[in-house]
Amino acid sequence: MSDTPESRLAALGIELPTPAAPVANYVATVRTGSLVVVSGQLPLKDGKLLATGKLGAAVSLDVGTEAAKYCLINVLAQLKAEIGDLSKVKRVVRLGGFISCAPEFTAHAGVMNGASDLAVAVFGDAGRHARSTVGVPSLPLDAPVEVEGLFEVG
């Protein structure tokens, strides 16, 4: 097996799901030139939220980190649907993370590492990216985390 993003996902035991359809008036991806923006994805696993609630309250740091990983898995599913083959990714340019949390929660970066670590595992050095991670009072469906992405493709 060649060393591709898909083979790295397989080695990690990750199979990309069928991309979720947008639930409001937006599209899942926008391609402009060599850039693809993927709309925010929730931590869906087998079509259901991995967890609900807020970090620093009902959701532990470990569960939040796993949720961020599943958000990125769903981002990658949307990206693959748009470009056909993840080997076309030249660079993960930016990931944005939204962490639903209690006001006193401050470990946002650790939660978002669930997504960032997976990006590097899948794309190697091309997976190293700029990032923003923001705490918010709530997210759709009471999800604990949402992740969006910007990718350069060839």
Side-chain angles (χ1 to χ4, degrees):
M1 183 185 288
S2 63
D3 189 29
T4 65
E6 277 91 351
S7 70
R8 290 182 201 122
L9 283 166
L12 293 167
I14 297 171
E15 183 177 330
L16 295 180
T18 301
V23 296
N25 188 16
Y26 65 93
V27 293
T29 60
V30 171
R31 189 173 190 164
T32 181
S34 64
L35 296 177
V36 177
V37 179
V38 179
S39 293
Q41 300 295 305
L42 300 179
L44 297 173
K45 179 180 181 185
D46 301 325
K48 297 183 176 149
L49 282 173
L50 181 71
T52 58
K54 298 182 185 315
L55 274 291
V59 179
S60 71
L61 184 60
D62 287 344
V63 170
T65 303
E66 185 76 356
K69 172 184 166 184
Y70 273 92
C71 289
L72 187 67
I73 290 169
N74 290 302
V75 165
L76 296 178
Q78 296 289 358
L79 180 63
K80 185 171 181 177
E82 174 65 30
I83 66 174
D85 180 353
L86 293 179
S87 293
K88 294 179 182 177
V89 173
K90 291 183 171 185
R91 182 78 195 231
V92 180
V93 177
R94 179 186 176 278
L95 295 179
F98 304 93
I99 314 299
S100 178
C101 58
E104 62 279 357
F105 183 78
T106 60
H108 306 80
V111 171
M112 191 57 184
N113 281 344
S116 293
D117 292 349
L118 181 59
V120 174
V122 172
F123 296 106
D125 281 342
R128 298 194 184 283
H129 51 275
R131 180 174 97 175
S132 296
T133 305
V134 179
V136 297
S138 68
L139 287 168
L141 305 177
D142 197 27
V145 182
E146 181 174 344
V147 175
E148 62 186 12
L150 176 62
F151 301 84
E152 180 186 8
V153 298

